Amino acid sequence: MSDLTAIYPPPAEFAAKANVSGMAAYQALYDKAKEHPEEFWGELAEKELHWFEKWNHVFEWNPPFVKWFVGGKTNLSYNCIDRHLNGPRKNKVAILWEGEPGDQRAITYQELHRLVSRFASCLKARGHKAGDRAIIYMPMVPEAAVAMLACARLGIVHSVVFGGFSSEALKARILDLEAQLVITADGGWRRGKEIRLKDAADEAMTGCPSVKDCVVLRRTGSTVPMQEGRDHWWHDLDATASEDCPAEPLDSEHPLYVLYTSGTTGKPKGILHTTAGYALQAAMTMKWVFDLKEEDTYWCTADIGWVTGHSYIVYGPLAAGATTLMYEGAPDFPNFGRFWRIIEKYKVNIFYTSPTAIRALLRQGDQWPNAHDLSSLRLLGSVGEPINPAAWEWYHRVIGKGRCPIVDTWWQTETGAILIAPMPGAVGAKPGSGTLPMPGILPEVVDFNGNPMGDDREGFLIIRRPWPSMLRTLWGDPERYKEAYWSRIPGIYFTGDAARRDKDGYFWILGRVDDVMNVSGHRLSTMEVESALVRHPAVAEAAVVGKPHEVTGQAVCAFVSLKKGDHDTAALGKELRQWVAHEIGAFARPEEIRFSEALPKTRSGKIMRRLLRDIVNNNTVSGDVTTLEDMNVLTRLAAQHDEG
Ligand code: PRX
């Protein structure tokens, strides 16, 4: 198959200046990491990170638990800020920001140091300390990064909750973490409307006795209630803040953040990342994959509520000393030219976005990008879902003018950093393939028993060895950690993705093999949506599957059976969609709800989502939104299948 696919080799001009130039250079790095991992990572850690105390050994592997740079003391906030202040980066722009209404800020490393020190000293003064937990529920403003870096400075474990999550989802996360601190804002701007974050936070915090303090940033200026004793305006705390707040020397394995992501049950998993290994791999992949140069303006369009925002807006770029651009709002506000205007205005060199965004913008026509000067671009990136060849080709031709390599980056919340992607000056691209693994990463495509599949054969994607930025466990649930990642093939990391490797060694990711959907590059569990639906008083049962969608990759399709009674299904369809938005967040709202008297089940009562997937994928049963489907035939079929 691979020989049928065109390869786009690294352009000679690009390769000549690349951080890793030519296949031999990539291979040398890869081989060294594979043969001598301790030496490879040890040398990099020494060179690339600041240490208050050096580690004793590089890693300790007690499957499935790993520690990196054991015994060392460091601090990621220090590595992202303080370390840059004694050289030419002192007055370099660290964060370049544009708000949706068009306001802008350019924050130098020195200024970032001042902002982070002031905020950290406010938290410290209120008694927050290493090991405590903070929830960050903020719009895409520089203070969101300041809050993350201030927590990291003191060793407060932070958990950023995407502003699109509802108060219910926020509450579940506060409770699970028993967070003492919530950092939020009055609101943020999205498509010209205010997203009222403090209102949602207020709703969430009722019934969360662990929360002692809630810090509120004024962003939109709208009126929000403030609860005496608990709520504090950021600017009030800041008024008397000290600027002297040194970074705490923290153990290499000190918990840095917990990021909740969807698993195969109704309860999200709290992915735990720790300090030193995460910092190193996030910074190295900035150099390897994004070919970062001192003078680059780098823009990742993710939200900081997702892992991409953690590793590739905040921690990776700042640890690598980059200028990282942050944009608050929607790609289509006030029109479909917004992204291209930002690239032109700030002379962006590296642009990293999702296939969903590319497809959505592609549909609007070439006149939008063509109205802007995109000649500053030199590298394009893609993340979150497989990119289809048509979108790849458009990205390459219309945005990159055929000149910019595209890095298709495969990774997960769990992996912390990019694991499979081309080094753009070394590895040629094949549209739709993440290409080759990063140094130190040993992926394989295997069968059910863990045996390697041959070239071009589909199987499960696994990773053979632990890597520095790997998740360490699930917050408060080591058993689920073992079960979810290390039990399918005992002792081997199971990604949950299907893949194949072609004869050139290129990896092609084929999608999830579990009950996880990917909607606009956002991970969503079928069970999470089902649990939300069955909490509605009219719903007896629900089954959710992903259906293919032209723009968002997948869309949520829910099969619902109702409790006995008279129902206006048209009205209920609308109500249930809204209900899911309230329970989880607007991005989880089902595109389609199909009412049915029964759901196909096995004899033991398990819903057969496989059959439902067939229905939505192959349309073997016709049906409109809110139509009543007779699932009885399928139910009988399913039962027969189970018997046979
Ligand atoms: O299925 C893969 C898909 O997204 C999943 C991880 O989702 P999440 O933890 O939310 O992280 C997304 C951002 C890193 C993976 O298991 N995925 C991610 N990147 C790609 C991808 N599928 C194909 N190609 C990619 N480049």
Side-chain angles (χ1 to χ4, degrees):
M1 220 159 165
S2 55
D3 37 19
L4 296 177
T5 318
I7 291 200
Y8 291 76
E13 205 190 327
F14 187 98
K17 297 186 201 141
N19 292 345
V20 180
S21 181
M23 218 26 213
Y26 161 77
Q27 200 62 52
L29 280 172
Y30 191 81
D31 291 347
K32 180 165 179 192
K34 186 174 174 190
E35 306 307 326
H36 308 287
E38 302 219 11
E39 205 182 309
F40 180 82
W41 291 114
E43 281 171 13
L44 284 178
E46 201 151 2
K47 189 164 144 251
E48 303 284 339
L49 295 181
H50 169 86
W51 295 92
F52 295 107
E53 270 173 51
K54 205 189 149 179
W55 64 91
N56 304 317
H57 41 280
V58 174
F59 69 97
E60 213 174 81
W61 178 221
N62 295 310
F65 298 100
V66 73
K67 290 181 179 166
W68 281 85
F69 309 110
V70 185
K73 292 230 183 309
T74 185
N75 183 297
L76 184 46
S77 182
Y78 188 99
N79 275 284
C80 287
I81 309 170
D82 307 48
R83 193 167 48 113
H84 304 309
L85 301 184
N86 294 323
R89 287 181 187 150
K90 177 179 160 198
N91 290 318
K92 175 176 176 173
V93 173
I95 299 176
L96 198 52
W97 174 79
E98 182 162 298
E100 198 186 70
D103 38 349
Q104 34 180 311
R105 284 162 77 185
I107 299 169
T108 63
Y109 276 95
Q110 183 64 64
E111 175 65 359
L112 186 62
H113 180 264
R114 207 174 67 81
L115 296 175
V116 170
S117 300
R118 290 180 76 95
F119 191 59
S121 70
C122 296
L123 300 183
K124 198 169 169 176
R126 299 206 56 81
H128 300 286
K129 56 181 189 310
D132 290 355
R133 275 88 52 211
I135 292 276
I136 299 175
Y137 185 58
M138 294 189 76
M140 285 284 291
V141 291
E143 281 77 6
V146 169
M148 292 164 77
L149 290 159
C151 288
R153 196 165 189 82
L154 300 176
I156 299 169
V157 185
H158 63 69
S159 185
V160 184
V161 178
F162 171 51
F165 273 116
S166 69
S167 57
E168 290 298 318
L170 177 62
K171 183 174 188 169
R173 286 154 175 77
I174 298 174
L175 288 173
D176 194 58
L177 275 179
E178 296 172 279
Q180 295 88 349
L181 172 65
V182 171
I183 305 167
T184 187
D186 46 6
W189 296 113
R190 184 111 188 142
R191 291 204 176 88
K193 292 206 185 84
E194 186 190 15
I195 307 285
R196 292 186 58 89
L197 295 171
K198 177 63 164 56
D199 288 353
D202 280 338
E203 221 179 298
M205 284 186 288
T206 45
C208 291
S210 60
V211 178
K212 300 283 174 276
D213 282 317
C214 174
V215 182
V216 187
L217 178 80
R218 181 171 283 159
R219 162 65 185 139
T220 57
S222 66
T223 310
V224 293
M226 297 290 277
Q227 184 178 306
E228 186 71 32
R230 185 195 67 186
D231 298 351
H232 319 273
W233 285 109
W234 183 307
H235 55 265
D236 285 344
L237 295 181
D238 185 69
T240 54
S242 159
E243 279 176 24
D244 181 25
C245 189
E248 298 275 339
L250 299 170
D251 192 274
S252 294
E253 283 297 328
H254 186 79
L256 174 68
Y257 67 79
V258 174
L259 186 57
Y260 287 87
T261 189
S262 295
T264 52
T265 72
K267 189 175 183 283
K269 303 187 280 196
I271 307 293
L272 176 70
H273 283 293
T274 59
T275 302
Y278 174 82
L280 182 62
Q281 215 162 351
M284 289 320 299
T285 43
M286 281 304 299
K287 299 182 186 188
W288 288 332
V289 180
F290 295 112
D291 190 50
L292 184 72
K293 299 288 189 329
E294 202 56 56
E295 61 277 15
D296 280 327
T297 300
Y298 160 89
W299 182 22
C300 166
T301 68
D303 189 283
I304 47 150
W306 307 108
V307 73
T308 309
H310 286 63
S311 301
Y312 297 109
I313 294 179
V314 180
Y315 291 124
L318 296 177
T323 296
T324 178
L325 194 149
M326 231 175 143
Y327 166 58
E328 179 186 32
D332 55 353
F333 189 85
N335 59 45
F336 288 99
R338 188 64 183 266
F339 274 10
W340 319 127
R341 171 71 190 127
I342 291 176
I343 291 172
E344 176 179 48
K345 184 168 164 190
Y346 299 98
K347 306 280 175 276
V348 171
N349 308 106
I350 305 168
F351 179 62
Y352 189 32
T353 195
S354 68
T356 289
I358 297 166
R359 285 190 294 263
L361 293 168
L362 172 161
R363 283 157 66 98
Q364 303 307 319
D366 297 2
Q367 73 277 17
W368 294 106
N370 287 348
H372 297 279
D373 176 7
L374 304 181
S375 61
S376 59
L377 289 173
R378 65 180 195 89
L379 181 65
L380 302 173
S382 168
V383 62
E385 34 175 334
I387 179 164
N388 51 308
W392 196 99
E393 194 277 329
W394 183 82
Y395 199 27
H396 188 252
R397 181 173 53 82
V398 179
I399 307 306
K401 311 292 178 209
R403 188 187 69 242
C404 306
I406 296 179
V407 289
D408 180 353
T409 63
W410 177 87
W411 59 298
Q412 309 177 295
T413 306
E414 290 86 344
T415 70
I418 295 165
L419 297 197
I420 302 178
M423 292 193 188
V427 178
K430 297 185 192 183
S433 168
T435 77
L436 302 178
M438 287 289 107
I441 307 304
L442 278 68
E444 250 176 73
V445 178
V446 301
D447 66 15
F448 255 115
N449 300 315
N451 301 312
M453 309 288 289
D455 287 349
D456 277 328
R457 294 193 48 214
E458 237 172 77
F460 302 113
L461 182 67
I462 54 105
I463 315 284
R464 280 223 180 265
R465 252 192 222 161
W467 59 98
S469 64
M470 180 177 114
L471 82 165
R472 297 302 192 259
T473 188
L474 296 180
W475 183 260
D477 202 349
E479 286 311 311
R480 188 173 178 198
Y481 166 72
K482 289 186 202 165
E483 204 271 323
Y485 304 107
W486 303 94
S487 65
R488 176 74 70 100
I489 296 146
I492 307 284
Y493 178 79
F494 178 64
T495 63
D497 278 351
R500 69 183 168 81
R501 188 168 63 183
D502 72 20
K503 67 175 173 34
D504 298 327
Y506 278 43
F507 286 86
W508 299 78
I509 309 298
L510 304 169
R512 304 287 307 189
V513 295
D514 51 16
D515 290 323
V516 171
M517 297 172 288
N518 192 330
V519 179
S520 304
H522 299 155
R523 212 162 126 173
L524 194 59
S525 126
T526 53
M527 304 267 209
E528 228 171 310
V529 183
E530 286 165 9
S531 314
L533 283 166
V534 297
R535 283 196 290 269
H536 188 281
V539 174
E541 278 188 312
V544 165
V545 293
K547 68 171 205 173
H549 189 279
E550 241 184 87
V551 174
T552 60
Q554 280 189 308
V556 177
C557 179
F559 291 80
V560 171
S561 69
L562 296 170
K563 288 182 184 156
K564 292 257 173 300
D566 281 339
H567 298 290
D568 172 357
T569 49
L572 200 54
K574 281 200 193 109
E575 187 178 321
L576 288 177
R577 295 179 70 237
Q578 199 41 40
W579 175 266
V580 173
H582 177 263
E583 294 289 297
I584 303 175
F587 68 96
R589 191 184 280 144
E591 169 159 290
E592 188 174 342
I593 291 190
R594 300 189 186 193
F595 292 105
S596 150
E597 270 171 13
L599 297 175
K601 286 191 195 151
T602 62
R603 288 260 150 168
S604 56
K606 263 178 73 174
I607 294 172
M608 298 202 70
R609 285 195 195 76
R610 189 179 50 75
L611 287 182
L612 299 176
R613 265 196 296 269
D614 276 354
I615 294 174
V616 297
N617 285 307
N618 309 326
N619 229 2
T620 49
V621 176
S622 62
D624 216 335
V625 190
T626 72
T627 53
L628 199 71
E629 289 191 50
D630 178 10
M631 212 63 87
N632 295 333
V633 179
L634 270 175
T635 304
R636 281 196 298 275
L637 274 176
Q640 276 167 21
H641 181 272
D642 194 38
E643 274 169 359

